[in-house]
Amino acid sequence: MDFSLSEEHIMIRDAARDFAQTELLLGVIERDEKQHFPAELVKKMGDLGFLGIMVDPKYGGSGMDTISYVLIMEELSKIDASASVIVSVNNSLVCYGLEAFGTEAQKEKYLTKLATGEFVGAFCLSEPEAGSDATSQKTSAIDKGDYYLLNGTKNWITNGGRADVYIVIAQTDKHKGSHGINAFIVEKGMEGFHVGPKENKLGIRGSDTHTLQFNDVKVPKENRIGDDGAGFRFAMKTLSGGRIGIAAQALGIAAGAYELALKYSKERKAFGTEICNHQAIAFKLADMYTDIEAARHLVMKAAWDKDQGNNYDVSSAMAKLYASKVAMEHTVEAVQIHGGNGFVKDYHVERLMRDAKITQIYEGTSEIQKIVISRNIIKE
Ligand code: COS
């Protein structure tokens, strides 16, 4: 067993850290306040290879492993979780889904542009009445010969108004339950595809979240991903990888808040000494440090499982469940350590606290992660 990072991993992590602390930090408060999508920064992240981290270089990707992906996600998320969710969705839900399950023609046409950042992708599973209960898809895709006729509504779609390529999950045969579901590639601008208003969110306010409407959209047959009826398993498998990305995001949010709290506690004085010298604060820091390190181990283990070709359904669920809990609890503590300043936007921790909450909700709520974990351990 070896817990050390390779020189290459350290270089990758440092490059992401450098980018986050110089480029992402600039204007992060304003982007959050104004719900401003960081289009310029997305382009720069594309140039750095952050939008197709694990994609094979023959499709324009960086050809890195999942450990590199989580290292990058952690560093970006310490500073700007709105930017990192764009990276996470593009990498693990869209690029991975296409690379692992798409046809050669789909990879040529879409993956090559998504991996370089020329295109941005979105993943559309959730519906008004199918969030956690993902098999209850109401969006339908009727087989019309050489195309499918797509109708329905998707909500809380990350990159919803900004994407070029949308992977849409829909019911093709409701009598077959989860085996009557398919995944389709829908392009921006297809007739009958409408983007609804942008959501006004508690956190990750710089990311672009919309409801999408599909009214008789003709999706060519060749845009179906995988075999007929394989769409639910495609979505589940893709989400297992997505959960590693979100776990790394939660880890980054927690670690970012911890680093700010540690620094502040060494500068701020009360009762004649820096507040880190008071046990009330020192013990909070000890708990944060320990829990964040434990979360990091779970995140790394899930990434390692994926890189080794092991099943990572449970390790990704555990990583997301635990890292998101740590992010929520310790961003609250980071605000507490900052006192009144923690309640003010300039100190960043209140934003990290707001951003933390979504990591317990999207790509499977904490309760869903417990379903995945418990079902798997019971059946063993
Ligand atoms: N990999 C491959 N196949 C999987 C799978 C996985 N990770 N998880 C489930 N499946 C398969 C099952 O094996 C089953 O196939 P069979 O019928 O051939 O046995 C099929 O998919 C249906 O699975 P299951 O019966 O477990 O479905 P449930 O309706 O009970 O739902 C949960 C399972 C709750 C785990 C699933 O609906 C889920 O993950 N929901 C959350 C969705 C989510 O994350 N939403 C957020 C949207 S993205 S922001």
Side-chain angles (χ1 to χ4, degrees), residues 126 131-132 135 178-179 232-233 236 239 243 313 363-364 375:
S126 298
S132 291
T135 44
S178 70
H179 293 271
F232 188 73
R233 270 163 291 134
M236 291 297 109
L239 274 171
R243 288 166 188 165
D313 293 341
E363 298 198 25
R375 278 187 185 175

Side-chain angles (χ1 to χ4, degrees), residues 93 123 125-126 130-135 156 158 178-179 232-234 236-237 239-240 243 311 313 361-365 368-369 371-372 375:
L93 298 187
F123 185 83
L125 173 68
S126 298
S132 291
D133 184 7
T135 44
W156 311 300
T158 303
S178 70
H179 293 271
F232 188 73
R233 270 163 291 134
F234 161 85
M236 291 297 109
K237 207 69 239 168
L239 274 171
S240 280
R243 288 166 188 165
N311 188 306
D313 293 341
I361 298 173
Y362 60 16
E363 298 198 25
T365 60
I368 289 293
Q369 307 314 322
I371 291 179
V372 172
R375 278 187 185 175

Side-chain angles (χ1 to χ4, degrees), residues 39-61:
E40 277 304 304
L41 292 164
V42 171
K43 200 181 162 323
K44 286 185 182 171
M45 290 192 290
D47 293 343
L48 285 167
F50 291 173
L51 293 182
I53 296 167
M54 294 164 289
V55 175
D56 191 320
K58 79 174 174 192
Y59 300 117

Side-chain angles (χ1 to χ4, degrees), residues 93 114 176 244 266 328:
L93 298 187
L114 287 158
K176 289 190 184 161
I244 301 175
K266 288 177 169 180
M328 197 63 254

